[in-house]
Amino acid sequence: MAHVVAATAERTIDAPADEAYRYLADTELHSRFLPPPFYDCQVEAGGVGEGSVVRFKIDFSGGVRELRMQVTEPEPGRTLVHTDTSGSGLVTTFTVTPRGAQALVNITSSFHGESGVAGFVERIIAPRRLHRVYAKQLASFDAHARERRAG
């Protein structure tokens, strides 16, 4: 029986919420914030917000997986959801919350994990690894926002 594996990270970004959201909604720009293990990111359709499709590879847990993410905006200006259309069950939600002149950005992912012993190990290790990856992504995102504000 497969289990749901979930991971989350959040950080205050030095940009107003509407600006932070625009950076995330722009899939070409957003792909620049992706740290390893993500690579080979390509915008397949759209490019900004709802209806965009982006492909990338991830080298995670000893294997490379290609993902094709469809973007939806259940709450435009606040929530973006990237859903894998290639069968992994991966759903990543980006939530932007105003914090005065800054924004709190939360990344939460869940996917269908393995069963058995491999699944047990995955449920322990994957959330921690993804949290570290997302923390790096948010740090890169914040650095970009600070650079934009300074420039």
Side-chain angles (χ1 to χ4, degrees):
M1 177 178 177
H3 299 277
V4 174
V5 178
T8 189
E10 67 181 15
R11 180 182 176 130
T12 299
I13 303 298
D14 192 20
D18 61 334
E19 190 174 309
Y21 188 84
R22 277 196 315 272
Y23 294 160
L24 289 171
D26 181 335
T27 54
E28 185 70 36
L29 178 60
H30 186 165
S31 69
R32 295 182 207 160
F33 308 130
L34 296 175
F38 298 101
Y39 67 99
D40 198 18
C41 189
Q42 300 170 6
V43 177
E44 185 178 291
V48 179
E50 181 88 27
S52 296
V53 177
V54 63
R55 283 184 182 276
F56 58 86
K57 293 178 183 171
I58 183 169
D59 187 354
F60 199 71
S61 298
V64 174
R65 182 165 204 147
E66 185 168 328
L67 301 171
R68 182 178 183 271
M69 306 299 281
Q70 175 79 44
V71 179
T72 57
E73 291 183 276
E75 290 182 71
R78 178 163 163 71
T79 307
L80 285 160
V81 177
H82 293 203
T83 304
D84 181 31
T85 62
S86 59
S88 73
L90 176 65
V91 177
T92 302
T93 302
F94 301 86
T95 306
V96 178
T97 304
R99 293 284 188 257
Q102 298 178 319
L104 179 67
V105 176
N106 177 285
I107 304 173
T108 301
S109 285
S110 64
F111 60 93
H112 305 297
E114 298 292 324
S115 59
V117 174
F120 176 76
V121 172
E122 181 179 55
R123 287 189 303 280
I124 293 169
I125 295 173
R128 290 181 184 142
R129 286 191 66 207
L130 276 174
H131 173 81
R132 286 193 301 271
V133 169
Y134 291 154
K136 287 178 186 176
Q137 181 178 353
L138 289 167
S140 177
F141 182 38
D142 185 47
H144 174 80
R146 288 176 186 277
E147 182 180 296
R148 295 284 301 219
R149 290 189 85 169

mmCIF file with all atom_site columns, all heavy atoms in Angstrom, residues 58-82:
data_model
loop_
_atom_site.group_PDB
_atom_site.id
_atom_site.type_symbol
_atom_site.label_atom_id
_atom_site.label_alt_id
_atom_site.label_comp_id
_atom_site.label_asym_id
_atom_site.label_entity_id
_atom_site.label_seq_id
_atom_site.pdbx_PDB_ins_code
_atom_site.Cartn_x
_atom_site.Cartn_y
_atom_site.Cartn_z
_atom_site.occupancy
_atom_site.B_iso_or_equiv
_atom_site.pdbx_formal_charge
_atom_site.auth_seq_id
_atom_site.auth_comp_id
_atom_site.auth_asym_id
_atom_site.auth_atom_id
_atom_site.pdbx_PDB_model_num
ATOM 1   N N   . ILE A 1 58 ? 14.683 15.522 -11.881 1.00 0.00 ? 58 ILE A N   1
ATOM 2   C CA  . ILE A 1 58 ? 15.106 15.560 -10.490 1.00 0.00 ? 58 ILE A CA  1
ATOM 3   C C   . ILE A 1 58 ? 15.883 14.283 -10.200 1.00 0.00 ? 58 ILE A C   1
ATOM 4   O O   . ILE A 1 58 ? 15.433 13.193 -10.540 1.00 0.00 ? 58 ILE A O   1
ATOM 5   C CB  . ILE A 1 58 ? 13.909 15.750 -9.530  1.00 0.00 ? 58 ILE A CB  1
ATOM 6   C CG1 . ILE A 1 58 ? 14.402 15.862 -8.081  1.00 0.00 ? 58 ILE A CG1 1
ATOM 7   C CG2 . ILE A 1 58 ? 12.871 14.667 -9.694  1.00 0.00 ? 58 ILE A CG2 1
ATOM 8   C CD1 . ILE A 1 58 ? 13.339 16.297 -7.100  1.00 0.00 ? 58 ILE A CD1 1
ATOM 9   N N   . ASP A 1 59 ? 17.056 14.467 -9.636  1.00 0.00 ? 59 ASP A N   1
ATOM 10  C CA  . ASP A 1 59 ? 17.891 13.337 -9.238  1.00 0.00 ? 59 ASP A CA  1
ATOM 11  C C   . ASP A 1 59 ? 17.738 13.218 -7.729  1.00 0.00 ? 59 ASP A C   1
ATOM 12  O O   . ASP A 1 59 ? 18.373 13.942 -6.967  1.00 0.00 ? 59 ASP A O   1
ATOM 13  C CB  . ASP A 1 59 ? 19.349 13.606 -9.616  1.00 0.00 ? 59 ASP A CB  1
ATOM 14  C CG  . ASP A 1 59 ? 20.243 12.401 -9.377  1.00 0.00 ? 59 ASP A CG  1
ATOM 15  O OD1 . ASP A 1 59 ? 19.762 11.400 -8.811  1.00 0.00 ? 59 ASP A OD1 1
ATOM 16  O OD2 . ASP A 1 59 ? 21.423 12.480 -9.752  1.00 0.00 ? 59 ASP A OD2 1
ATOM 17  N N   . PHE A 1 60 ? 16.861 12.321 -7.310  1.00 0.00 ? 60 PHE A N   1
ATOM 18  C CA  . PHE A 1 60 ? 16.462 12.244 -5.907  1.00 0.00 ? 60 PHE A CA  1
ATOM 19  C C   . PHE A 1 60 ? 16.308 10.787 -5.515  1.00 0.00 ? 60 PHE A C   1
ATOM 20  O O   . PHE A 1 60 ? 15.708 10.012 -6.245  1.00 0.00 ? 60 PHE A O   1
ATOM 21  C CB  . PHE A 1 60 ? 15.134 12.997 -5.729  1.00 0.00 ? 60 PHE A CB  1
ATOM 22  C CG  . PHE A 1 60 ? 14.812 13.386 -4.324  1.00 0.00 ? 60 PHE A CG  1
ATOM 23  C CD1 . PHE A 1 60 ? 15.520 14.382 -3.688  1.00 0.00 ? 60 PHE A CD1 1
ATOM 24  C CD2 . PHE A 1 60 ? 13.780 12.771 -3.650  1.00 0.00 ? 60 PHE A CD2 1
ATOM 25  C CE1 . PHE A 1 60 ? 15.214 14.758 -2.405  1.00 0.00 ? 60 PHE A CE1 1
ATOM 26  C CE2 . PHE A 1 60 ? 13.464 13.132 -2.361  1.00 0.00 ? 60 PHE A CE2 1
ATOM 27  C CZ  . PHE A 1 60 ? 14.182 14.133 -1.728  1.00 0.00 ? 60 PHE A CZ  1
ATOM 28  N N   . SER A 1 61 ? 16.851 10.440 -4.410  1.00 0.00 ? 61 SER A N   1
ATOM 29  C CA  . SER A 1 61 ? 16.761 9.071  -3.888  1.00 0.00 ? 61 SER A CA  1
ATOM 30  C C   . SER A 1 61 ? 17.368 8.047  -4.840  1.00 0.00 ? 61 SER A C   1
ATOM 31  O O   . SER A 1 61 ? 16.814 6.972  -5.057  1.00 0.00 ? 61 SER A O   1
ATOM 32  C CB  . SER A 1 61 ? 15.309 8.706  -3.567  1.00 0.00 ? 61 SER A CB  1
ATOM 33  O OG  . SER A 1 61 ? 14.806 9.556  -2.573  1.00 0.00 ? 61 SER A OG  1
ATOM 34  N N   . GLY A 1 62 ? 18.489 8.399  -5.443  1.00 0.00 ? 62 GLY A N   1
ATOM 35  C CA  . GLY A 1 62 ? 19.226 7.436  -6.233  1.00 0.00 ? 62 GLY A CA  1
ATOM 36  C C   . GLY A 1 62 ? 18.731 7.204  -7.642  1.00 0.00 ? 62 GLY A C   1
ATOM 37  O O   . GLY A 1 62 ? 19.210 6.311  -8.322  1.00 0.00 ? 62 GLY A O   1
ATOM 38  N N   . GLY A 1 63 ? 17.793 7.988  -8.118  1.00 0.00 ? 63 GLY A N   1
ATOM 39  C CA  . GLY A 1 63 ? 17.318 7.809  -9.483  1.00 0.00 ? 63 GLY A CA  1
ATOM 40  C C   . GLY A 1 63 ? 16.862 9.120  -10.077 1.00 0.00 ? 63 GLY A C   1
ATOM 41  O O   . GLY A 1 63 ? 16.471 10.040 -9.365  1.00 0.00 ? 63 GLY A O   1
ATOM 42  N N   . VAL A 1 64 ? 16.926 9.229  -11.388 1.00 0.00 ? 64 VAL A N   1
ATOM 43  C CA  . VAL A 1 64 ? 16.486 10.429 -12.078 1.00 0.00 ? 64 VAL A CA  1
ATOM 44  C C   . VAL A 1 64 ? 15.046 10.236 -12.529 1.00 0.00 ? 64 VAL A C   1
ATOM 45  O O   . VAL A 1 64 ? 14.688 9.190  -13.074 1.00 0.00 ? 64 VAL A O   1
ATOM 46  C CB  . VAL A 1 64 ? 17.384 10.728 -13.298 1.00 0.00 ? 64 VAL A CB  1
ATOM 47  C CG1 . VAL A 1 64 ? 16.836 11.905 -14.094 1.00 0.00 ? 64 VAL A CG1 1
ATOM 48  C CG2 . VAL A 1 64 ? 18.806 10.989 -12.848 1.00 0.00 ? 64 VAL A CG2 1
ATOM 49  N N   . ARG A 1 65 ? 14.243 11.227 -12.283 1.00 0.00 ? 65 ARG A N   1
ATOM 50  C CA  . ARG A 1 65 ? 12.844 11.181 -12.692 1.00 0.00 ? 65 ARG A CA  1
ATOM 51  C C   . ARG A 1 65 ? 12.523 12.456 -13.459 1.00 0.00 ? 65 ARG A C   1
ATOM 52  O O   . ARG A 1 65 ? 12.920 13.537 -13.047 1.00 0.00 ? 65 ARG A O   1
ATOM 53  C CB  . ARG A 1 65 ? 11.964 11.076 -11.454 1.00 0.00 ? 65 ARG A CB  1
ATOM 54  C CG  . ARG A 1 65 ? 10.524 10.986 -11.793 1.00 0.00 ? 65 ARG A CG  1
ATOM 55  C CD  . ARG A 1 65 ? 9.732  10.519 -10.617 1.00 0.00 ? 65 ARG A CD  1
ATOM 56  N NE  . ARG A 1 65 ? 8.541  9.929  -11.164 1.00 0.00 ? 65 ARG A NE  1
ATOM 57  C CZ  . ARG A 1 65 ? 7.904  8.931  -10.662 1.00 0.00 ? 65 ARG A CZ  1
ATOM 58  N NH1 . ARG A 1 65 ? 8.319  8.376  -9.563  1.00 0.00 ? 65 ARG A NH1 1
ATOM 59  N NH2 . ARG A 1 65 ? 6.828  8.464  -11.222 1.00 0.00 ? 65 ARG A NH2 1
ATOM 60  N N   . GLU A 1 66 ? 11.847 12.320 -14.592 1.00 0.00 ? 66 GLU A N   1
ATOM 61  C CA  . GLU A 1 66 ? 11.402 13.489 -15.343 1.00 0.00 ? 66 GLU A CA  1
ATOM 62  C C   . GLU A 1 66 ? 9.968  13.792 -14.942 1.00 0.00 ? 66 GLU A C   1
ATOM 63  O O   . GLU A 1 66 ? 9.108  12.894 -14.915 1.00 0.00 ? 66 GLU A O   1
ATOM 64  C CB  . GLU A 1 66 ? 11.478 13.247 -16.853 1.00 0.00 ? 66 GLU A CB  1
ATOM 65  C CG  . GLU A 1 66 ? 11.136 14.501 -17.623 1.00 0.00 ? 66 GLU A CG  1
ATOM 66  C CD  . GLU A 1 66 ? 11.472 14.420 -19.099 1.00 0.00 ? 66 GLU A CD  1
ATOM 67  O OE1 . GLU A 1 66 ? 12.447 13.732 -19.452 1.00 0.00 ? 66 GLU A OE1 1
ATOM 68  O OE2 . GLU A 1 66 ? 10.744 15.045 -19.876 1.00 0.00 ? 66 GLU A OE2 1
ATOM 69  N N   . LEU A 1 67 ? 9.733  15.052 -14.613 1.00 0.00 ? 67 LEU A N   1
ATOM 70  C CA  . LEU A 1 67 ? 8.398  15.487 -14.193 1.00 0.00 ? 67 LEU A CA  1
ATOM 71  C C   . LEU A 1 67 ? 7.867  16.521 -15.167 1.00 0.00 ? 67 LEU A C   1
ATOM 72  O O   . LEU A 1 67 ? 8.624  17.320 -15.726 1.00 0.00 ? 67 LEU A O   1
ATOM 73  C CB  . LEU A 1 67 ? 8.452  16.079 -12.782 1.00 0.00 ? 67 LEU A CB  1
ATOM 74  C CG  . LEU A 1 67 ? 8.960  15.127 -11.700 1.00 0.00 ? 67 LEU A CG  1
ATOM 75  C CD1 . LEU A 1 67 ? 9.186  15.872 -10.407 1.00 0.00 ? 67 LEU A CD1 1
ATOM 76  C CD2 . LEU A 1 67 ? 7.996  13.981 -11.505 1.00 0.00 ? 67 LEU A CD2 1
ATOM 77  N N   . ARG A 1 68 ? 6.577  16.504 -15.364 1.00 0.00 ? 68 ARG A N   1
ATOM 78  C CA  . ARG A 1 68 ? 5.884  17.474 -16.224 1.00 0.00 ? 68 ARG A CA  1
ATOM 79  C C   . ARG A 1 68 ? 4.797  18.103 -15.356 1.00 0.00 ? 68 ARG A C   1
ATOM 80  O O   . ARG A 1 68 ? 3.814  17.445 -15.014 1.00 0.00 ? 68 ARG A O   1
ATOM 81  C CB  . ARG A 1 68 ? 5.277  16.770 -17.431 1.00 0.00 ? 68 ARG A CB  1
ATOM 82  C CG  . ARG A 1 68 ? 4.590  17.698 -18.393 1.00 0.00 ? 68 ARG A CG  1
ATOM 83  C CD  . ARG A 1 68 ? 4.044  16.909 -19.597 1.00 0.00 ? 68 ARG A CD  1
ATOM 84  N NE  . ARG A 1 68 ? 3.443  17.780 -20.558 1.00 0.00 ? 68 ARG A NE  1
ATOM 85  C CZ  . ARG A 1 68 ? 2.152  18.150 -20.539 1.00 0.00 ? 68 ARG A CZ  1
ATOM 86  N NH1 . ARG A 1 68 ? 1.336  17.698 -19.594 1.00 0.00 ? 68 ARG A NH1 1
ATOM 87  N NH2 . ARG A 1 68 ? 1.674  18.964 -21.449 1.00 0.00 ? 68 ARG A NH2 1
ATOM 88  N N   . MET A 1 69 ? 5.007  19.358 -14.978 1.00 0.00 ? 69 MET A N   1
ATOM 89  C CA  . MET A 1 69 ? 4.134  20.020 -14.021 1.00 0.00 ? 69 MET A CA  1
ATOM 90  C C   . MET A 1 69 ? 3.174  20.988 -14.719 1.00 0.00 ? 69 MET A C   1
ATOM 91  O O   . MET A 1 69 ? 3.600  21.863 -15.482 1.00 0.00 ? 69 MET A O   1
ATOM 92  C CB  . MET A 1 69 ? 4.966  20.782 -12.988 1.00 0.00 ? 69 MET A CB  1
ATOM 93  C CG  . MET A 1 69 ? 6.026  19.926 -12.281 1.00 0.00 ? 69 MET A CG  1
ATOM 94  S SD  . MET A 1 69 ? 5.373  18.538 -11.345 1.00 0.00 ? 69 MET A SD  1
ATOM 95  C CE  . MET A 1 69 ? 4.822  19.376 -9.881  1.00 0.00 ? 69 MET A CE  1
ATOM 96  N N   . GLN A 1 70 ? 1.896  20.817 -14.433 1.00 0.00 ? 70 GLN A N   1
ATOM 97  C CA  . GLN A 1 70 ? 0.831  21.688 -14.920 1.00 0.00 ? 70 GLN A CA  1
ATOM 98  C C   . GLN A 1 70 ? 0.536  22.701 -13.810 1.00 0.00 ? 70 GLN A C   1
ATOM 99  O O   . GLN A 1 70 ? 0.362  22.321 -12.655 1.00 0.00 ? 70 GLN A O   1
ATOM 100 C CB  . GLN A 1 70 ? -0.426 20.865 -15.217 1.00 0.00 ? 70 GLN A CB  1
ATOM 101 C CG  . GLN A 1 70 ? -1.641 21.666 -15.613 1.00 0.00 ? 70 GLN A CG  1
ATOM 102 C CD  . GLN A 1 70 ? -1.576 22.110 -17.059 1.00 0.00 ? 70 GLN A CD  1
ATOM 103 O OE1 . GLN A 1 70 ? -1.221 21.314 -17.933 1.00 0.00 ? 70 GLN A OE1 1
ATOM 104 N NE2 . GLN A 1 70 ? -1.898 23.353 -17.318 1.00 0.00 ? 70 GLN A NE2 1
ATOM 105 N N   . VAL A 1 71 ? 0.485  23.980 -14.166 1.00 0.00 ? 71 VAL A N   1
ATOM 106 C CA  . VAL A 1 71 ? 0.272  25.041 -13.181 1.00 0.00 ? 71 VAL A CA  1
ATOM 107 C C   . VAL A 1 71 ? -1.186 25.466 -13.153 1.00 0.00 ? 71 VAL A C   1
ATOM 108 O O   . VAL A 1 71 ? -1.798 25.709 -14.200 1.00 0.00 ? 71 VAL A O   1
ATOM 109 C CB  . VAL A 1 71 ? 1.164  26.267 -13.484 1.00 0.00 ? 71 VAL A CB  1
ATOM 110 C CG1 . VAL A 1 71 ? 0.929  27.384 -12.477 1.00 0.00 ? 71 VAL A CG1 1
ATOM 111 C CG2 . VAL A 1 71 ? 2.637  25.867 -13.520 1.00 0.00 ? 71 VAL A CG2 1
ATOM 112 N N   . THR A 1 72 ? -1.728 25.559 -11.937 1.00 0.00 ? 72 THR A N   1
ATOM 113 C CA  . THR A 1 72 ? -3.061 26.124 -11.721 1.00 0.00 ? 72 THR A CA  1
ATOM 114 C C   . THR A 1 72 ? -2.943 27.217 -10.661 1.00 0.00 ? 72 THR A C   1
ATOM 115 O O   . THR A 1 72 ? -1.970 27.266 -9.904  1.00 0.00 ? 72 THR A O   1
ATOM 116 C CB  . THR A 1 72 ? -4.089 25.063 -11.269 1.00 0.00 ? 72 THR A CB  1
ATOM 117 O OG1 . THR A 1 72 ? -3.616 24.435 -10.076 1.00 0.00 ? 72 THR A OG1 1
ATOM 118 C CG2 . THR A 1 72 ? -4.317 24.015 -12.353 1.00 0.00 ? 72 THR A CG2 1
ATOM 119 N N   . GLU A 1 73 ? -3.944 28.081 -10.639 1.00 0.00 ? 73 GLU A N   1
ATOM 120 C CA  . GLU A 1 73 ? -3.986 29.174 -9.667  1.00 0.00 ? 73 GLU A CA  1
ATOM 121 C C   . GLU A 1 73 ? -5.326 29.160 -8.940  1.00 0.00 ? 73 GLU A C   1
ATOM 122 O O   . GLU A 1 73 ? -6.227 29.917 -9.295  1.00 0.00 ? 73 GLU A O   1
ATOM 123 C CB  . GLU A 1 73 ? -3.787 30.523 -10.357 1.00 0.00 ? 73 GLU A CB  1
ATOM 124 C CG  . GLU A 1 73 ? -2.412 30.746 -10.907 1.00 0.00 ? 73 GLU A CG  1
ATOM 125 C CD  . GLU A 1 73 ? -2.245 32.119 -11.517 1.00 0.00 ? 73 GLU A CD  1
ATOM 126 O OE1 . GLU A 1 73 ? -2.616 32.277 -12.705 1.00 0.00 ? 73 GLU A OE1 1
ATOM 127 O OE2 . GLU A 1 73 ? -1.771 33.028 -10.824 1.00 0.00 ? 73 GLU A OE2 1
ATOM 128 N N   . PRO A 1 74 ? -5.483 28.317 -7.920  1.00 0.00 ? 74 PRO A N   1
ATOM 129 C CA  . PRO A 1 74 ? -6.754 28.281 -7.207  1.00 0.00 ? 74 PRO A CA  1
ATOM 130 C C   . PRO A 1 74 ? -7.098 29.599 -6.519  1.00 0.00 ? 74 PRO A C   1
ATOM 131 O O   . PRO A 1 74 ? -8.268 29.938 -6.385  1.00 0.00 ? 74 PRO A O   1
ATOM 132 C CB  . PRO A 1 74 ? -6.590 27.159 -6.189  1.00 0.00 ? 74 PRO A CB  1
ATOM 133 C CG  . PRO A 1 74 ? -5.163 26.799 -6.184  1.00 0.00 ? 74 PRO A CG  1
ATOM 134 C CD  . PRO A 1 74 ? -4.538 27.339 -7.423  1.00 0.00 ? 74 PRO A CD  1
ATOM 135 N N   . GLU A 1 75 ? -6.087 30.365 -6.116  1.00 0.00 ? 75 GLU A N   1
ATOM 136 C CA  . GLU A 1 75 ? -6.264 31.699 -5.551  1.00 0.00 ? 75 GLU A CA  1
ATOM 137 C C   . GLU A 1 75 ? -5.244 32.620 -6.221  1.00 0.00 ? 75 GLU A C   1
ATOM 138 O O   . GLU A 1 75 ? -4.145 32.803 -5.705  1.00 0.00 ? 75 GLU A O   1
ATOM 139 C CB  . GLU A 1 75 ? -6.023 31.707 -4.039  1.00 0.00 ? 75 GLU A CB  1
ATOM 140 C CG  . GLU A 1 75 ? -7.063 31.016 -3.209  1.00 0.00 ? 75 GLU A CG  1
ATOM 141 C CD  . GLU A 1 75 ? -6.733 31.139 -1.726  1.00 0.00 ? 75 GLU A CD  1
ATOM 142 O OE1 . GLU A 1 75 ? -6.861 32.259 -1.173  1.00 0.00 ? 75 GLU A OE1 1
ATOM 143 O OE2 . GLU A 1 75 ? -6.323 30.129 -1.146  1.00 0.00 ? 75 GLU A OE2 1
ATOM 144 N N   . PRO A 1 76 ? -5.593 33.191 -7.373  1.00 0.00 ? 76 PRO A N   1
ATOM 145 C CA  . PRO A 1 76 ? -4.638 34.054 -8.077  1.00 0.00 ? 76 PRO A CA  1
ATOM 146 C C   . PRO A 1 76 ? -4.114 35.149 -7.145  1.00 0.00 ? 76 PRO A C   1
ATOM 147 O O   . PRO A 1 76 ? -4.857 35.756 -6.387  1.00 0.00 ? 76 PRO A O   1
ATOM 148 C CB  . PRO A 1 76 ? -5.464 34.650 -9.223  1.00 0.00 ? 76 PRO A CB  1
ATOM 149 C CG  . PRO A 1 76 ? -6.528 33.620 -9.470  1.00 0.00 ? 76 PRO A CG  1
ATOM 150 C CD  . PRO A 1 76 ? -6.861 33.078 -8.104  1.00 0.00 ? 76 PRO A CD  1
ATOM 151 N N   . GLY A 1 77 ? -2.806 35.351 -7.211  1.00 0.00 ? 77 GLY A N   1
ATOM 152 C CA  . GLY A 1 77 ? -2.173 36.337 -6.360  1.00 0.00 ? 77 GLY A CA  1
ATOM 153 C C   . GLY A 1 77 ? -1.764 35.796 -5.003  1.00 0.00 ? 77 GLY A C   1
ATOM 154 O O   . GLY A 1 77 ? -1.066 36.455 -4.248  1.00 0.00 ? 77 GLY A O   1
ATOM 155 N N   . ARG A 1 78 ? -2.209 34.574 -4.690  1.00 0.00 ? 78 ARG A N   1
ATOM 156 C CA  . ARG A 1 78 ? -1.879 33.980 -3.391  1.00 0.00 ? 78 ARG A CA  1
ATOM 157 C C   . ARG A 1 78 ? -1.375 32.538 -3.488  1.00 0.00 ? 78 ARG A C   1
ATOM 158 O O   . ARG A 1 78 ? -0.447 32.170 -2.806  1.00 0.00 ? 78 ARG A O   1
ATOM 159 C CB  . ARG A 1 78 ? -3.101 34.031 -2.475  1.00 0.00 ? 78 ARG A CB  1
ATOM 160 C CG  . ARG A 1 78 ? -2.862 33.395 -1.133  1.00 0.00 ? 78 ARG A CG  1
ATOM 161 C CD  . ARG A 1 78 ? -3.893 33.800 -0.097  1.00 0.00 ? 78 ARG A CD  1
ATOM 162 N NE  . ARG A 1 78 ? -3.918 32.935 1.053   1.00 0.00 ? 78 ARG A NE  1
ATOM 163 C CZ  . ARG A 1 78 ? -3.005 32.854 1.994   1.00 0.00 ? 78 ARG A CZ  1
ATOM 164 N NH1 . ARG A 1 78 ? -1.925 33.610 1.919   1.00 0.00 ? 78 ARG A NH1 1
ATOM 165 N NH2 . ARG A 1 78 ? -3.119 32.045 3.009   1.00 0.00 ? 78 ARG A NH2 1
ATOM 166 N N   . THR A 1 79 ? -2.004 31.708 -4.350  1.00 0.00 ? 79 THR A N   1
ATOM 167 C CA  . THR A 1 79 ? -1.667 30.283 -4.384  1.00 0.00 ? 79 THR A CA  1
ATOM 168 C C   . THR A 1 79 ? -1.451 29.789 -5.809  1.00 0.00 ? 79 THR A C   1
ATOM 169 O O   . THR A 1 79 ? -2.318 29.970 -6.668  1.00 0.00 ? 79 THR A O   1
ATOM 170 C CB  . THR A 1 79 ? -2.786 29.444 -3.727  1.00 0.00 ? 79 THR A CB  1
ATOM 171 O OG1 . THR A 1 79 ? -3.049 29.953 -2.431  1.00 0.00 ? 79 THR A OG1 1
ATOM 172 C CG2 . THR A 1 79 ? -2.388 27.985 -3.634  1.00 0.00 ? 79 THR A CG2 1
ATOM 173 N N   . LEU A 1 80 ? -0.308 29.143 -6.009  1.00 0.00 ? 80 LEU A N   1
ATOM 174 C CA  . LEU A 1 80 ? 0.016  28.449 -7.262  1.00 0.00 ? 80 LEU A CA  1
ATOM 175 C C   . LEU A 1 80 ? 0.164  26.974 -6.933  1.00 0.00 ? 80 LEU A C   1
ATOM 176 O O   . LEU A 1 80 ? 0.752  26.626 -5.906  1.00 0.00 ? 80 LEU A O   1
ATOM 177 C CB  . LEU A 1 80 ? 1.350  28.922 -7.825  1.00 0.00 ? 80 LEU A CB  1
ATOM 178 C CG  . LEU A 1 80 ? 1.416  30.273 -8.481  1.00 0.00 ? 80 LEU A CG  1
ATOM 179 C CD1 . LEU A 1 80 ? 2.854  30.761 -8.523  1.00 0.00 ? 80 LEU A CD1 1
ATOM 180 C CD2 . LEU A 1 80 ? 0.863  30.187 -9.884  1.00 0.00 ? 80 LEU A CD2 1
ATOM 181 N N   . VAL A 1 81 ? -0.350 26.115 -7.800  1.00 0.00 ? 81 VAL A N   1
ATOM 182 C CA  . VAL A 1 81 ? -0.219 24.674 -7.595  1.00 0.00 ? 81 VAL A CA  1
ATOM 183 C C   . VAL A 1 81 ? 0.399  24.066 -8.849  1.00 0.00 ? 81 VAL A C   1
ATOM 184 O O   . VAL A 1 81 ? -0.070 24.302 -9.962  1.00 0.00 ? 81 VAL A O   1
ATOM 185 C CB  . VAL A 1 81 ? -1.591 24.016 -7.297  1.00 0.00 ? 81 VAL A CB  1
ATOM 186 C CG1 . VAL A 1 81 ? -1.443 22.501 -7.152  1.00 0.00 ? 81 VAL A CG1 1
ATOM 187 C CG2 . VAL A 1 81 ? -2.212 24.613 -6.039  1.00 0.00 ? 81 VAL A CG2 1
ATOM 188 N N   . HIS A 1 82 ? 1.465  23.294 -8.646  1.00 0.00 ? 82 HIS A N   1
ATOM 189 C CA  . HIS A 1 82 ? 2.122  22.564 -9.726  1.00 0.00 ? 82 HIS A CA  1
ATOM 190 C C   . HIS A 1 82 ? 1.795  21.087 -9.520  1.00 0.00 ? 82 HIS A C   1
ATOM 191 O O   . HIS A 1 82 ? 2.148  20.513 -8.488  1.00 0.00 ? 82 HIS A O   1
ATOM 192 C CB  . HIS A 1 82 ? 3.636  22.744 -9.678  1.00 0.00 ? 82 HIS A CB  1
ATOM 193 C CG  . HIS A 1 82 ? 4.094  24.138 -9.976  1.00 0.00 ? 82 HIS A CG  1
ATOM 194 N ND1 . HIS A 1 82 ? 5.360  24.396 -10.436 1.00 0.00 ? 82 HIS A ND1 1
ATOM 195 C CD2 . HIS A 1 82 ? 3.480  25.339 -9.895  1.00 0.00 ? 82 HIS A CD2 1
ATOM 196 C CE1 . HIS A 1 82 ? 5.504  25.694 -10.620 1.00 0.00 ? 82 HIS A CE1 1
ATOM 197 N NE2 . HIS A 1 82 ? 4.377  26.290 -10.285 1.00 0.00 ? 82 HIS A NE2 1
#
